[in-house]
Amino acid sequence: NKKILNQSPVKSITFKKEIVVLNICSTVELTAGEFFRRIFESFDKNDIAFDLINISETHISVTLNKNTDLSELTEEFKLFSVVKIERNKSQISVIGSNIKNTNGIESKILNELREINISLISHGASKMNFSFVIERKDLEPSIRKLHRYFFED
């Protein structure tokens, strides 16, 4: 039996095959506001847009297109932070109707991918998606597992 699509809150699964994760961790005493201001001003000045973002008081991680030139940006960040670039990453987004308010949807996604290392989870800014980053080598099996769970029997 095929699952009927309109019974599930999940309507599609999308991905970005090759992305970069840029991790920036403050090394000097800055207020959170000053740290964030410097980061976002540098992104703006270098005309670089990011997709997903994860923020704590002294750390920011963002996803970027794999072809983004990070040389000037990372040099600016190194004045006040440690910069780590993670390559060979992929991004998966589970898209649907009111995903944010569907009880247990996150645990279902994560349970299906329990053998895959997942990082930089983004959920909450939109009612429509749940996005996360994985190793590039895990993309195809992850998509297959999620598709089987949400769209097949």
Side-chain angles (χ1 to χ4, degrees):
N1 288 344
K2 298 277 183 194
K3 290 183 180 178
I4 299 173
L5 288 180
N6 60 9
Q7 288 181 342
S8 171
V10 175
K11 303 302 179 198
S12 68
I13 300 165
T14 65
F15 62 88
K16 292 183 179 179
K17 193 173 193 173
E18 295 184 50
I19 63 166
V20 171
V21 176
L22 180 64
N23 297 292
I24 309 140
C25 185
S26 178
T27 57
V28 297
E29 282 195 39
L30 298 172
T31 65
E34 179 67 15
F35 177 59
F36 299 150
R37 184 186 63 74
R38 286 186 183 188
I39 297 290
F40 293 119
E41 282 180 353
S42 293
F43 275 109
D44 184 49
K45 183 175 91 177
N46 288 281
D47 198 29
I48 295 176
F50 51 84
D51 190 8
L52 301 181
I53 185 168
N54 191 332
I55 297 177
S56 71
E57 195 171 322
T58 60
H59 185 97
I60 294 179
S61 295
V62 298
T63 61
L64 303 158
N65 179 301
K66 74 168 187 152
N67 297 319
T68 304
D69 180 5
L70 299 174
S71 54
E72 286 187 40
L73 189 68
T74 55
E75 287 306 310
E76 289 177 32
F77 291 159
K78 286 179 181 177
L79 297 174
F80 59 91
S81 60
V82 171
V83 177
K84 181 181 175 196
I85 300 171
E86 297 178 39
R87 300 190 187 281
N88 300 312
K89 301 290 185 177
S90 294
Q91 176 183 319
I92 295 177
S93 295
V94 177
I95 313 294
S97 174
N98 202 20
I99 294 260
K100 180 179 179 179
N101 297 317
T102 301
N103 290 339
I105 194 75
E106 304 90 346
S107 63
K108 290 174 184 173
I109 294 166
L110 297 175
N111 187 53
E112 283 304 302
L113 303 178
R114 63 189 165 274
E115 296 172 6
I116 307 269
N117 187 26
I118 296 174
S119 63
L120 213 151
I121 296 172
S122 177
H123 185 45
S126 166
K127 291 182 180 183
M128 306 303 284
N129 66 40
F130 179 85
S131 300
F132 52 91
V133 172
I134 59 174
E135 296 292 328
R136 166 65 190 94
K137 68 179 177 56
D138 295 325
L139 179 62
E140 284 81 7
S142 297
I143 294 293
R144 279 195 300 276
K145 286 178 182 184
L146 291 172
H147 190 275
R148 194 170 336 167
Y149 182 82
F150 287 109
F151 304 121
E152 300 172 19
D153 218 5

